[in-house]
């Protein structure tokens, strides 16, 4: 009997180990884009999603980008053709694209040892490398920044926030968040780019940057982020386990307009599952508790996502405009102009509901409903050419344009009459 017990112990141990390393693959999968002419086309897309024939990458009123696996291509093609819907292929071979972006952490070398961390803009960092970088900042820049824990996830990881301040008691608070959605790696690197540039060049910053308290959470959903590195590159949700499936879409779990029939997703197996109830998730609870504990409350939040090159403001679930529409438009216009000056990239702007698609329970809407007047989402590069698989060569420029956007926001908030945020800024990296 002891032999059998030992045997089963090893069998289970091997099974668990092999489960942990087995990657989800997308051999033969493609990403297609199709134009939508109206409600009937949209219904077809929704039906294909419900049947799990496709999964949505990006949905706009007039356009859908979606992943179609090899075994579903013929069926999807036929159904679209029956409606006279044509498509273009955005990504010919999804797995090959994934394989061209290796995520093995950089090794410690003489150079990285000298610098003190292994983060670079040349490849997407693992969570380990990101947290190593936080520790480096906390040690080397302890007079202006510290690392705080704002919550613990289902898989027992700490959600970490970098707090940057010059200690001025009159500072307004700007909160920047990335990585709510696991696969949107560019949102994480852009938040890192911004915190790196604010901290390491703090003395040279304009007063409208220095005289703010910057709270930056590059990885709101660390469980999902790790999973997207180790198992499924295209994972979106967190990693909370339910009866049949895993994960809640963190950015659908806030208590604002939650539970609207036809918008709020209540199937736990769907990629936009809104959770069993509002604030059921560690990540959304952490953001709620943070915002409710801050005095003064933040004057602005900017939530980073990808993709689409959009600057969005509330509402996400309501068709009507907010009372701050004018303020949002003006500020967003200033931000997108600064982005264009920085990298010559055009970002469109508007309310999420109209520009993208209705979504309930978003952090954007919740923060705004709690009195954060300046609430924005930036959907960064690209416009669908490679979507979530944005090449690492674009990490740095994407970071640059989002950095320009948040500096413009900081300037706008204080109404400073100093130079344009783009002037005399020379961002170099390591
Ligand atoms: Zn997102």
């Amino acid at each position: 009997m002891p032999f059998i017990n030992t045997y089963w112990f090893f069998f289970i141990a091997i099974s668990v180990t092999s489960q942990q390393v087995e990657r989800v693959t997308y051999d033969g999968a493609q990403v297609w884009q199709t134009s939508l002419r109206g409600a009937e086309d949209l219904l077809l897309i929704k039906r294909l999603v419900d049947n799990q024939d496709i999964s949505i990458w990006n949905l706009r009123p007039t356009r859908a980008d979606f992943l179609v696996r090899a075994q579903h291509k013929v069926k999807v093609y036929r159904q679209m053709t029956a409606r006279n819907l044509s498509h273009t292929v955005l990504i010919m071979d999804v797995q090959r694209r994934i394989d061209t972006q290796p995520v093995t952490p950089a090794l410690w070398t003489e150079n990285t040892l000298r610098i003190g961390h292994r983060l670079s803009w040349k490849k997407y960092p693992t969570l380990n490398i990101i947290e190593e970088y936080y520790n480096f900042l906390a040690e080397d820049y302890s007079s202006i920044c510290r690392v705080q824990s704002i919550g613990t996830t289902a898989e027992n990881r700490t959600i970490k926030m970098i707090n940057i301040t010059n200690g001025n008691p009159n500072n307004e608070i700007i909160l920047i968040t990335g990585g709510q959605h696991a696969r949107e790696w560019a949102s994480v690197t852009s938040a890192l780019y911004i915190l790196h540039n604010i901290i390491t060049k703090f003395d040279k910053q304009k007063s409208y940057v220095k005289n703010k308290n910057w709270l930056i959470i590059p990885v709101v959903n660390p469980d999902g982020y790790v999973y997207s590195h180790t198992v499924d590159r295209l994972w979106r949700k967190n990693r909370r386990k339910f009866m049949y499936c895993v994960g809640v879409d963190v950015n659908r779990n806030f208590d604002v307009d939650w539970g609207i029939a036809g918008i709020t997703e209540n199937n736990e197996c769907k990629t936009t599952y809104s959770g069993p109830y509002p604030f059921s998730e560690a990540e959304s609870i952490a953001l709620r508790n943070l915002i409710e504990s801050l005095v003064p409350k933040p004057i602005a939040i900017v939530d980073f996502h990808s993709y689409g090159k959009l600057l969005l403001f509330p509402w996400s679930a309501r068709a009507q405009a907010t009372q701050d529409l004018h303020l949002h438009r003006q500020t967003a216009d200033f931000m997108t102009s600064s982005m264009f000056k920085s990298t010559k990239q055009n970002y469109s702007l508007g309310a999420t509901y109209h520009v993208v698609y209705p979504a309930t329970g978003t952090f954007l809407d919740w923060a705004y409903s709690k009195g954060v007047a300046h609430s924005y989402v930036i959907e960064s590069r690209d416009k669908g050419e490679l979507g979530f698989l944005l090449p690492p060569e674009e990490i740095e420029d994407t970071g640059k344009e989002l950095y320009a956007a948040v500096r413009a926001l900081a300037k706008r908030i204080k109404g400073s009459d100093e130079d344009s945020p783009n002037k005399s800024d020379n961002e170099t990296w390591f």
Side-chain angles (χ1 to χ4, degrees):
M1 288 304 282
F3 168 77
I4 292 172
N5 283 343
T6 311
Y7 170 81
W8 278 108
F9 171 78
F10 280 115
F11 177 76
I12 291 163
I14 288 164
S15 302
V16 168
T17 311
S18 62
Q19 267 175 15
Q20 282 171 345
V21 295
E22 196 175 314
R23 280 182 181 269
V24 174
T25 57
Y26 291 89
D27 294 317
Q30 296 185 328
V31 177
W32 293 2
Q33 181 174 86
T34 186
S35 299
L36 303 176
R37 297 158 301 189
E40 290 291 315
D41 289 348
L42 184 62
L43 270 181
L44 170 63
I45 295 296
K46 285 193 166 162
R47 200 167 63 238
L48 291 168
V49 171
D50 286 342
N51 290 338
Q52 302 192 334
D53 295 322
I54 63 172
S55 61
I56 292 290
W57 272 33
N58 206 300
L59 189 59
R60 309 272 287 275
T62 56
R63 195 191 96 185
D65 302 352
F66 53 86
L67 179 137
V68 51
R69 283 185 173 274
Q71 65 270 32
H72 297 133
K73 275 184 209 159
V74 172
K75 180 182 171 191
V76 172
Y77 177 78
R78 284 191 182 143
Q79 294 203 20
M80 287 176 61
T81 308
R83 274 205 53 76
N84 210 13
L85 263 182
S86 61
H87 73 274
T88 51
V89 178
L90 293 176
I91 302 181
M92 191 62 78
D93 185 337
V94 171
Q95 188 57 46
R96 202 163 65 192
R97 265 290 149 199
I98 291 173
D99 292 341
T100 59
Q101 297 185 1
V103 291
T104 337
L107 295 172
W108 282 104
T109 61
E110 219 169 273
N111 192 38
T112 50
L113 279 169
R114 181 178 53 77
I115 296 168
H117 62 84
R118 291 176 291 168
L119 184 69
S120 87
W121 304 141
K122 292 187 169 47
K123 72 199 280 190
Y124 289 102
T126 59
L127 188 67
N128 277 348
I129 286 193
I130 293 171
E131 297 195 338
E132 186 178 285
Y133 179 65
Y134 295 163
N135 294 338
F136 158 80
L137 290 174
E139 268 191 26
D140 276 33
Y141 297 89
S142 57
S143 61
I144 51 164
C145 83
R146 64 200 156 95
V147 184
Q148 286 176 265
S149 159
I150 62 157
T152 306
T153 64
E155 292 183 344
N156 214 25
R157 291 191 179 84
T158 304
I159 305 169
K160 292 186 176 174
M161 176 174 81
I162 313 302
N163 185 332
I164 310 165
T165 181
N166 61 1
N168 183 342
N170 299 320
N171 287 352
E172 298 276 15
I173 296 172
I174 296 180
L175 172 65
I176 294 172
T177 47
Q180 279 207 71
H181 291 142
R183 63 191 174 188
E184 297 169 13
W185 290 0
S187 72
V188 172
T189 50
S190 296
L192 289 168
Y193 185 89
I194 289 166
L195 78 86
H196 170 81
N197 277 282
I198 293 179
I199 292 174
T200 60
K201 295 163 197 162
F202 197 76
D203 291 341
K204 294 184 199 140
Q205 296 289 351
K206 305 283 186 197
S207 63
Y208 56 77
V209 172
K210 274 192 213 167
N211 289 320
K212 297 280 188 305
N213 286 0
W214 295 89
L215 305 181
I216 304 183
I217 310 168
V219 191
V220 168
N221 170 16
D223 292 352
Y225 188 70
V226 168
Y227 191 76
S228 72
H229 274 260
T230 54
V231 181
D232 183 354
R233 173 63 187 88
L234 298 176
W235 188 256
R236 171 181 168 98
K237 302 188 281 184
N238 69 7
R239 292 295 303 163
R240 182 170 167 211
K241 289 174 181 58
F242 292 94
M243 179 83 83
Y244 301 105
C245 289
V246 176
V248 168
D249 184 337
V250 176
N251 200 33
R252 298 290 183 276
N253 190 241
F254 291 80
D255 192 7
V256 58
D257 296 325
W258 195 94
I260 296 179
I263 306 180
T264 303
E265 179 59 67
N266 54 21
N267 179 341
E268 67 186 49
C269 297
K270 292 292 174 64
T271 52
T272 53
Y273 178 45
S274 305
Y277 49 88
F279 289 125
S280 58
E281 302 309 298
E283 298 82 3
S284 51
I285 290 170
L287 289 178
R288 177 193 67 189
N289 291 352
L290 170 70
I291 288 198
E292 289 183 344
S293 70
L294 291 170
V295 182
K297 82 173 67 135
I299 192 155
I301 63 121
V302 191
D303 188 26
F304 291 171
H305 290 259
S306 72
Y307 57 93
K309 288 167 73 178
L310 301 167
L311 206 166
L312 304 167
F313 41 80
W315 299 106
S316 312
R318 304 178 198 179
Q320 78 260 33
T322 67
Q323 62 186 23
D324 291 311
L325 177 66
H326 185 63
L327 172 77
H328 289 155
R329 273 199 179 287
Q330 273 198 332
T331 312
D333 193 47
F334 188 59
M335 290 164 76
T336 51
S337 301
S338 295
M339 293 165 94
F340 184 79
K341 281 183 209 157
S342 170
T343 54
K344 301 288 175 282
Q345 296 289 314
N346 271 312
Y347 277 63
S348 308
L349 57 90
T352 309
Y353 184 95
H354 297 288
V355 175
V356 188
Y357 221 76
T360 57
T362 64
F363 180 46
L364 174 78
D365 284 8
W366 181 80
Y368 179 71
S369 76
K370 290 291 160 189
V372 181
H374 286 282
S375 292
Y376 304 99
V377 158
I378 300 182
E379 297 274 3
S380 65
R381 296 185 191 192
D382 52 19
K383 290 194 96 152
E385 295 84 350
L386 292 169
F388 305 119
L389 303 177
L390 187 76
E393 292 75 29
E394 294 195 50
I395 290 175
E396 187 166 6
D397 275 353
T398 307
K400 258 183 207 172
E401 67 214 22
L402 269 58
Y403 182 38
V406 298
R407 275 178 298 149
L409 173 65
K411 184 176 185 187
R412 195 72 177 182
I413 284 167
K414 272 297 184 197
S416 167
D417 55 4
E418 293 181 63
D419 287 347
S420 149
N422 288 302
K423 269 192 200 166
S424 73
D425 275 326
N426 180 21
E427 293 130 22
T428 50
W429 178 245
F430 305 134

